Amino acid sequence: ATTRRDAFGKTIGVVGVGQDITTLNKLMAESKRVADDLTTLIETANAPIFGVDTQGRVTEWNKKIAELSAFSKKETSGQPLV
């Protein structure tokens, strides 16, 4: 928003622009719900699941691989896989 002024510089109003973001908010909420569901699925899977970035550093380490490897997610996060 910005002020609207007369010829003498006196503020006589405000000009602003609004946008309805209801649909955007709904889509973002749905996207977050799906991401949370996938995170839960990975974390609770009865199979060892891990992820690495392009440099080979651990980015994901689920409960099953922590159980099998005896290394926690905290211990492995950001560390080289090999």
Side-chain angles (χ1 to χ4, degrees):
T2 188
T3 56
R4 185 170 174 220
R5 299 180 183 273
D6 65 13
F8 303 103
K10 181 181 174 189
T11 301
I12 59 171
V14 177
V15 177
V17 177
Q19 184 175 2
D20 182 0
I21 59 170
T22 303
T23 302
L24 176 62
N25 285 342
K26 287 179 182 177
L27 290 171
M28 288 175 62
E30 176 64 10
S31 179
K32 182 178 179 341
R33 185 193 65 76
V34 169
D36 289 346
D37 286 351
L38 290 173
T39 298
T40 300
L41 176 67
I42 290 168
E43 189 58 33
T44 61
N46 195 25
I49 299 174
F50 65 90
V52 294
D53 63 15
T54 56
Q55 285 78 41
R57 294 180 302 235
V58 174
T59 58
E60 187 58 55
W61 197 260
N62 77 346
K63 289 179 182 179
K64 191 62 169 181
I65 197 163
E67 175 188 316
L68 294 172
S69 70
F71 291 107
S72 71
K73 184 175 190 169
K74 185 176 180 181
E75 289 174 298
T76 59
S77 185
Q79 299 299 314
L81 182 62
V82 290

